[in-house]
């Protein structure tokens, strides 16, 4: 074999090897507070997938307000997987475009919830307004920053957390809960388009006395701005935030990426991924990992949307659809 022939053979082998290793590209459409988590998770998945399957895969991310992200997928954004912060944003993919099956939540463990979170109150350092619970948010001198419940899951969780808190007080009723939430909204100077936008309003623009957001967003604030400018207040009662995941069937079948998308989502339940979740202050489902990180997750009395509001579909219709309770109370602001 001549040197030239050996070079041609070597080039062919190298090209064939690269082709064997080359893999597809996945698009994960997610909500804005999860940027840092998936920034940490994706390289770990790519490495694990390469070791298991013998090929590379590229994961691209898209982030924004959860409701807007879901609508973008419905309107044609080709997400292989969608990782939202509440089930209605995935239900909408079935209801409006049949992009996923109706029973999408049953395909993965824990109703397709790889981890959970909750709503907390973030205040200025030293807590100058002495905010300790939801009841303090209706004080006349308190400004509240939160995302818009009409377009973000983060905002909806905050809205429902406050409503549920009022319901569960002595003498609580639907009417008192409505009045309580209306009083909070009167103290909201701006409704932002997403959780990260609300953080920017609170931390960079210096607007507001308290920010309502997910527990894990507090850690992201600390990483970006340091621990010196804020404190996290855990209320006496909060709502269990349940961020679900699914592959988008019509997209993965069109692109031929079902195998990769399924592996990506299954990876979220592995001990390695659960560790990454805990390190990003998402409460892991894996009991071993949960015990390991228990000290960083204060015990908080929680209720679920199912328990208090009859499930997300009912809560969506009652509170956030056009003409629902949010529209009614915010219009009177």
């Amino acid at each position: 074999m001549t040197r030239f022939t050996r070079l041609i053979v070597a080039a062919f082998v190298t090209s064939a090897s690269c082709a064997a290793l080359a893999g597809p590209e996945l698009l994960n459409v997610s909500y804005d507070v999860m940027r840092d988590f998936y920034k940490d998770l994706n390289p770990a998945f790519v490495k694990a997938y390469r070791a298991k399957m013998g090929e590379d895969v590229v994961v691209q991310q898209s982030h924004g307000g959860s409701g807007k992200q879901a609508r973008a997928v419905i309107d044609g954004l080709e997400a292989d997987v969608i990782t939202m912060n509440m089930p209605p944003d995935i239900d909408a993919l079935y209801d409006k475009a049949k992009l996923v099956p109706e029973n999408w939540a049953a395909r993965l463990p824990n109703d397709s919830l790889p981890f959970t979170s909750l709503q907390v109150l973030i205040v200025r350092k030293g807590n100058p307004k002495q905010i300790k619970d939801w009841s303090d948010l209706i004080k006349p001198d308190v400004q509240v920053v939160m995302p818009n419940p009409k377009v973000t899951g983060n905002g909806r969780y905050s809205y429902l957390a406050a409503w549920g808190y009022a319901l569960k007080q002595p003498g609580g009723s639907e009417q008192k809960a409505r009045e309580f939430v209306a009083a909070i909204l009167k103290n909201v100077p701006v409704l932002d388009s997403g959780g990260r936008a609300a953080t920017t309003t609170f931390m960079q623009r210096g607007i507001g006395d308290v920010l309502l957001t997910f527990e894990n967003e507090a850690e992201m604030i600390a990483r970006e701005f340091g621990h010196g400018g804020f404190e996290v207040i855990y209320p006496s009662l909060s709502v269990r935030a349940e961020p679900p995941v699914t592959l988008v069937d019509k997209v993965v079948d069109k692109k031929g990426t079902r195998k990769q998308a399924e592996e990506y989502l299954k990876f979220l339940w592995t001990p390695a991924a659960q560790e990454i979740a805990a390190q990003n202050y998402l409460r892991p489902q894996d009991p071993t990992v949960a015990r390991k990180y228990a000290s960083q997750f204060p015990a908080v009395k929680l209720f679920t949307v199912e328990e208090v509001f009859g499930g997300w579909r009912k809560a969506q219709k009652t509170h956030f659809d056009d003409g629902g309770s949010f529209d009614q109370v915010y219009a009177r602001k």
Side-chain angles (χ1 to χ4, degrees), residues 1 58 62 71 76 84 90 93 96 115 161 163 215 229 305 320:
M1 183 181 294
V58 176
S62 172
R71 284 195 296 274
M84 293 285 94
I90 299 182
L93 271 62
K96 298 181 180 180
F115 31 71
W163 193 287
E215 177 183 38
V305 174
F320 308 116

Side-chain angles (χ1 to χ4, degrees), residues 35 55 71 93 102 132-133 168 236 271 316:
R35 282 185 177 91
E55 69 174 11
R71 284 195 296 274
L93 271 62
E102 187 175 14
K132 297 179 180 179
D133 213 338
K168 290 180 174 293
S236 62
Q316 176 68 32

Side-chain angles (χ1 to χ4, degrees), residues 237-251:
L237 178 68
S238 192
V239 64
R240 183 176 187 255
E242 301 177 326
V245 302
T246 190
L247 58 83
V248 183
D249 294 70
K250 282 194 174 181
V251 173

Side-chain angles (χ1 to χ4, degrees), residues 21 32 36 60 83 85 101 111 126 136 141 170 193 197 225 232-233 239 256 264 270 277 288 290 294 314 317:
L21 287 172
D32 53 4
D36 297 273
Q60 301 288 353
T83 56
N85 59 25
D111 293 323
D136 295 315
D141 63 337
S193 61
F225 299 100
V232 181
I233 305 298
V239 64
Y264 183 70
T270 65
T288 301
K314 185 176 180 180
K317 182 177 180 180

Side-chain angles (χ1 to χ4, degrees), residues 12 62 65 211 275:
F12 175 79
S62 172
L211 169 67
E275 285 256 353

Side-chain angles (χ1 to χ4, degrees), residues 203-275:
M203 294 300 298
Q204 291 188 326
R205 298 174 62 194
I207 294 174
D209 302 297
V210 56
L211 169 67
L212 311 185
T213 193
F214 294 121
E215 177 183 38
N216 61 298
E217 177 67 355
E219 175 61 18
M220 301 309 104
I221 293 172
R223 292 182 188 181
E224 184 173 352
F225 299 100
H227 290 274
F230 72 97
E231 297 177 11
V232 181
I233 305 298
Y234 283 85
S236 62
L237 178 68
S238 192
V239 64
R240 183 176 187 255
E242 301 177 326
V245 302
T246 190
L247 58 83
V248 183
D249 294 70
K250 282 194 174 181
V251 173
V252 298
D253 289 340
K254 174 185 174 182
K255 293 172 60 178
T257 53
R258 178 177 286 271
K259 177 184 73 173
Q260 293 80 11
E262 287 178 342
E263 289 294 325
Y264 183 70
L265 294 181
K266 289 177 186 176
F267 183 72
L268 291 170
W269 275 265
T270 65
Q274 291 283 291
E275 285 256 353

